[in-house]
Amino acid sequence: MDHKKPLYFIIPMLVLLSLTIISCKGKSEVTLASDSIVVEDAFKKSNGELCKIKTRVEISYPEDYKDKGNTEQLQRLFCKSLLHCPDTVSDIKSALNYYAKSLITQNSPLQVNQDNAEAEEDYDNIDVDNFEITVKITNVYNDNDVLSFCCEKVVKKNDKETSDTHRYVNLDLLLMKKITHNDLFFGNSEGQINQMLKSKLIESQNVKDEDELYMCGYYNLSNLVITDNFYFSENGITWCYEPGVLAVPAVGETSLMLPFEELMRFKCEESALNRI
């Protein structure tokens, strides 16, 4: 007797199996949601007049991951790493409120004076009537058990933009921790990666050497080193340097991407690069 199953029976089973695999894979992915808050206050300037200060925070945050326990753990990590909350603050709403209010506190003349007495004169400008801080936290990478977030901070005085900076934070979903560059590469590889970044900068500016970079405004190449201000993308890791760090402020922000294939030889044992 032939016990072989008919083809019309096997094909539906294969389709069902593939759908099951896809479904199981989807359960391990991070679902993101968004929220926002606006907080307003005012402080008295040295001439007795009031300056209005406003913070607007918009975030993309992990809403669901695997199960309730993993979701709560990931959200606590997000609140601590992106919103700079203490461990006692874990839910998103409370963390968002805490972060927005902390921006107000950090930028009040009293706090600036406590941190640096010489800075008060620069901050307490009697010509500034409106001070606004807008922070947007967006997800830029969600794959290979890694989440990368961009935190863009825009400062305006009297409705005129005075600064626009980007900071990046990467979260490891397997280890449930913030990823630093030390978590990716073995110890004595930093010098070689720094040289790769310098070569990438020379290439991007279409110049021949460091002397020509200097002519382009890159006066501080000693700061061109790997830092924790990086993010993952489909093709590699991008390091970002705020205006004034490498070059004159007019040059703006500098971003340099190194492909994964060029970085693999430097990865350490527990590096997230092992999953790429």
Side-chain angles (χ1 to χ4, degrees):
M1 180 181 296
D2 187 359
H3 294 286
K4 294 183 179 178
K5 295 184 181 294
L7 187 59
Y8 64 80
F9 178 80
I10 295 176
I11 292 178
M13 289 295 292
L14 292 174
V15 173
L16 180 61
L17 179 61
S18 64
L19 290 176
T20 302
I21 294 174
I22 294 174
S23 176
C24 290
K25 180 181 179 182
K27 290 181 180 179
S28 66
E29 296 175 351
V30 178
T31 302
L32 299 164
S34 59
D35 205 345
S36 63
I37 191 174
V38 175
V39 177
E40 298 182 71
D41 204 342
F43 60 83
K44 186 176 292 187
K45 297 183 290 185
S46 57
N47 64 352
E49 296 178 356
L50 288 179
C51 176
K52 296 179 181 179
I53 182 169
K54 177 195 291 187
T55 62
R56 181 190 307 274
V57 182
E58 303 173 10
I59 65 171
S60 174
Y61 68 92
E63 182 183 43
D64 183 64
Y65 176 56
K66 288 186 177 180
D67 53 37
K68 182 179 179 181
N70 279 282
T71 299
E72 291 177 349
Q73 190 177 5
L74 179 55
Q75 287 185 347
R76 283 195 298 271
L77 179 61
F78 176 88
C79 293
K80 182 176 181 179
S81 303
L82 275 299
L83 303 179
H84 309 292
C85 294
D87 293 333
T88 53
V89 181
S90 59
D91 66 284
I92 298 297
K93 286 287 186 182
S94 298
L96 186 56
N97 184 58
Y98 175 93
Y99 178 63
K101 289 183 176 180
S102 71
L103 290 174
I104 293 281
T105 302
Q106 292 166 15
N107 290 277
S108 69
L110 177 60
Q111 183 64 36
V112 171
N113 188 36
Q114 289 174 343
D115 293 341
N116 183 0
E118 297 179 356
E120 183 178 12
E121 184 179 352
D122 293 335
Y123 183 89
D124 186 13
N125 190 324
I126 60 175
D127 295 327
V128 179
D129 298 315
N130 296 284
F131 188 84
E132 184 175 342
I133 306 168
T134 301
V135 174
K136 295 182 179 180
I137 298 176
T138 55
N139 177 251
V140 294
Y141 186 80
N142 182 4
D143 200 5
N144 298 306
D145 294 310
V146 171
L147 288 178
S148 293
F149 289 94
C150 171
C151 180
E152 180 184 18
K153 182 179 180 182
V154 177
V155 176
K156 291 183 178 181
K157 294 181 180 180
N158 290 343
D159 300 320
K160 182 179 180 180
E161 184 176 307
T162 58
S163 69
D164 183 359
T165 58
H166 298 78
R167 297 294 296 174
Y168 295 89
V169 174
N170 305 275
L171 305 181
D172 190 318
L173 301 181
L174 292 186
L175 302 178
M176 280 296 173
K177 60 174 289 186
K178 179 180 176 180
I179 303 174
T180 69
H181 68 277
N182 291 323
D183 297 317
L184 297 177
F185 311 110
F186 56 79
N188 59 355
S189 62
E190 184 171 342
Q192 297 178 70
I193 301 176
N194 293 343
Q195 186 57 49
M196 291 167 62
L197 286 170
K198 187 176 295 184
S199 298
K200 183 66 66 172
L201 178 60
I202 291 174
E203 177 186 342
S204 68
Q205 297 300 307
N206 195 27
V207 296
K208 296 179 180 178
D209 51 33
E210 293 184 28
D211 290 337
E212 291 193 12
L213 281 177
Y214 184 85
M215 297 300 294
C216 293
Y218 288 91
Y219 70 98
N220 203 356
L221 291 178
S222 61
N223 285 337
L224 184 53
V225 296
I226 55 174
T227 68
D228 290 338
N229 196 26
F230 65 87
Y231 65 91
F232 285 73
S233 65
E234 182 180 351
N235 298 316
I237 295 178
T238 300
W239 276 270
C240 297
Y241 303 88
E242 295 180 2
V245 173
L246 301 179
V248 294
V251 171
E253 203 167 56
T254 300
S255 297
L256 301 168
M257 192 276 283
L258 295 180
F260 287 128
E261 55 266 25
E262 295 182 15
L263 294 170
M264 287 302 182
R265 59 194 173 106
F266 303 115
K267 64 182 180 179
C268 59
E269 185 176 351
E270 293 189 351
S271 175
L273 292 174
N274 290 313
R275 307 170 209 154
I276 303 301

